[in-house]
Amino acid sequence: MLVLGGTGEARRLATALVEAGRPVLSSLAGRVAEPLLPLGEVRIGGFGGAAGLAAWLREEAPPAVVDATHPFAAGMTASAAEAAAATGVPLLRLQRPGWTAGPGDGWRWVDSLEEAAGAVAGFGSVFVTTGRQGLAAFAGLEGRCLVRSVDPPAPPLPRDVTVVLARGPFSVADETALMRAHGVDVVVTKDSGGSMTAAKLTAARHLGVPVVLVRRPPLPAGVPVVATVGEALAWLVEIGSRREGS
């Protein structure tokens, strides 16, 4: 079984498969210097786009592929869909639900990092939590900018930037203290969903700080999508039953 991973859901799926005695290969993009590794065999590095992944699928012939990459890993998701269609290997998208605003949330939705940068251009202290990829979109900000990422970001960066290197999960108390310490008056994030990094949204609500959220990219058409590891396991069982009955 091939799991395109890098998320908590991918690690939990790999663990469940290994514990069930099912061989699994987790593929990680290698964008983080010290990734959290799942159980089972691990492959780090890309396949070389859709063509490279299709060649690997033809050679290795896994029974199925689960794309459990980050909701914003649009390139890998597109390559997986193209490669699966070319080879006939069943593909499932495992993607956690996005965040939903609640009472007291001051959210503004945008479609890109560039649009997000424009939306916060007039603020004095911006907390950017979109990861180190794409920070060039915020390089022109004139105010103070607090950037958090797992690994050190590469330039270009905002002129007045403070970088915090940290990996979630984060508590509401810690996020609140961080925002207060840096005088944050707006937060920028992607709609990643999940609980590991949601505390900043709660902290922003408590502090009355607005949040600019980047919408997720659209998913490829025709690929089934589930939201939980349990649903993914049920799908894999169904795929296995079809293979045995064919």
Side-chain angles (χ1 to χ4, degrees), residues 4 20 29 31 33 43 45 54 66 83 85 119 129 134 159 185 187 190 192-193 204 223 241:
L4 305 176
R31 292 182 176 176
R43 181 186 192 278
V66 177
T129 67
R159 176 182 55 81
D185 53 12
V187 176
K190 296 176 178 177
S192 299
V223 178
S241 298

Side-chain angles (χ1 to χ4, degrees), residues 74-137:
M76 187 67 247
T77 293
S79 292
E82 184 177 340
T87 59
V89 176
L91 170 67
L92 178 73
R93 173 63 176 163
L94 170 56
Q95 179 168 279
R96 58 182 175 262
W99 289 315
T100 302
D105 285 323
W107 292 5
R108 173 179 173 180
W109 291 93
V110 296
D111 292 318
S112 67
L113 293 176
E114 289 74 18
E115 189 177 346
V120 300
F123 287 84
S125 181
V126 183
F127 185 17
V128 181
T129 67
T130 57
R132 66 190 180 95
Q133 303 290 329
L135 284 176

Side-chain angles (χ1 to χ4, degrees), residues 1 3 9-24 64-66 68 92-94 225-241:
M1 203 73 62
V3 175
E9 291 80 10
R11 290 189 294 274
R12 291 195 294 274
L13 177 60
T15 296
L17 291 170
V18 169
E19 291 178 346
R22 304 285 297 276
V24 57
V65 178
V66 177
L92 178 73
R93 173 63 176 163
L94 170 56
V225 182
V226 297
T228 68
V229 171
E231 291 173 299
L233 290 170
W235 181 85
L236 291 171
V237 169
E238 181 181 351
I239 292 296
S241 298

